[in-house]
Amino acid sequence: MLHTVNKSPFTNNSLDSCLDCVGNGAAVLLIEDGVYGALKGSKVADKVKAAMGKVTIYALSADVKARGVADKMIDGIKMVDYAGFVELAAENDKVHSWL
Amino acid sequence: MKFTIQINEGPYQHQASDTAYQFTKAALEKGHEIFRVFFYHDGVNNATRLTSPPQDDRNVVNRWSALAEKHNLDLVVCVAAAQRRGIADADEAKRNGKDADNLAPGFRISGLGQLIEGGIQADRLVVFGD
């Protein structure tokens, strides 16, 4: 299952809720302000790193670049472009948007 | 693979419509089918042809119209959400006693059943909102 999170974890708890619910082997894609969830050294970074043991976390590269945080991403977060987003949506049997 | 896209937010205030547009474009470029794009809630504001953004900014509405024309997309606007927000085609304007209509080319107004059908007929329903 693919989960998309589009909110900053500093204004909203959707990333937190998402990580509490995801199943093993799921994919989590951070888009829009959601990419702030992939920031190194933030107060949510430990939870994100811990989740990376059971799910793969991706960030949408255009949104990362637009916010100037490309060099501040947690190691192991995978960058995807829009084509990669489409691929993730196709590969996973369902897409859930944490709006 | 067949996708239905749902958009719940209007242009410029939120990124939802931009992300949905880029996703839709990328899906078409990869050879996927877009079964339908459904505009719901404030998302119906993506369908007014009266927007005039600055020339150096993206035109969210025209961009959808152009993509629809190029790929023969089915852009559906929820009728109840549209009525509340003053989005009308000629028929809706007449039916509601309005003196103007504003639906952009390539969009059509219909009911929520179109979203349900989109969810059933497509392999994936991807929702963009805030």
Side-chain angles (χ1 to χ4, degrees):
Chain A
M1 184 155 170
L2 172 65
H3 300 257
T4 69
V5 175
N6 74 337
K7 302 287 192 312
S8 164
F10 313 116
T11 58
N12 188 290
N13 61 8
S14 60
L15 177 61
D16 204 40
S17 307
C18 169
L19 295 180
D20 285 344
C21 293
V22 283
N24 281 329
V28 176
L29 172 63
L30 306 174
I31 64 171
E32 303 173 2
D33 279 352
V35 300
Y36 289 121
L39 283 180
K40 238 181 223 168
S42 82
K43 61 183 177 186
V44 300
D46 284 344
K47 182 158 183 175
V48 171
K49 278 192 262 182
M52 286 164 74
K54 68 168 185 173
V55 300
T56 311
I57 303 193
Y58 302 84
L60 192 62
S61 54
D63 288 334
V64 170
K65 283 179 197 155
R67 287 159 181 79
V69 293
D71 57 347
K72 298 182 179 68
M73 296 285 102
I74 293 168
D75 295 333
I77 302 268
K78 296 189 175 170
M79 292 294 143
V80 291
D81 56 10
Y82 286 102
F85 184 176
V86 171
E87 237 164 75
L88 284 172
E91 275 167 17
N92 288 277
D93 63 332
K94 292 183 191 75
V95 184
H96 180 77
S97 307
W98 289 80
L99 301 177
Chain B
M1 182 163 280
K2 269 191 231 175
F3 287 96
T4 288
I5 307 296
Q6 180 184 339
I7 301 172
N8 292 343
E9 291 293 341
Y12 304 108
Q13 178 76 5
H14 297 284
Q15 210 187 323
S17 181
D18 293 295
T19 308
Y21 173 80
Q22 299 297 346
F23 181 93
T24 302
K25 206 163 140 261
L28 290 164
E29 280 162 8
K30 286 177 85 73
H32 295 297
E33 182 190 334
I34 301 296
F35 179 78
R36 181 165 293 149
V37 183
F38 191 85
F39 296 84
Y40 199 22
H41 303 295
D42 272 1
V44 302
N45 290 311
N46 289 290
T48 169
R49 61 182 168 80
L50 299 180
T51 56
S52 309
Q55 283 189 355
D56 60 351
D57 193 358
R58 69 217 189 283
N59 188 314
V60 172
V61 177
N62 292 357
R63 207 167 57 168
W64 277 116
S65 291
L67 196 67
E69 195 184 359
K70 189 174 171 194
H71 297 280
N72 198 25
L73 297 183
D74 189 19
L75 306 183
V76 178
V77 176
C78 170
V79 62
Q83 281 175 338
R84 287 186 175 97
R85 291 163 179 84
I87 305 292
D89 60 10
D91 287 348
E92 278 297 305
K94 195 177 170 196
R95 203 164 65 85
N96 292 296
K98 303 297 179 186
D99 60 3
D101 61 79
N102 63 346
L103 194 74
F107 292 83
R108 66 185 179 92
I109 293 181
S110 190
L112 205 47
Q114 299 283 306
L115 173 61
I116 305 303
E117 191 199 26
I120 293 168
Q121 296 295 329
D123 301 299
R124 303 284 184 275
L125 170 64
V126 187
V127 185
F128 297 90
D130 190 72

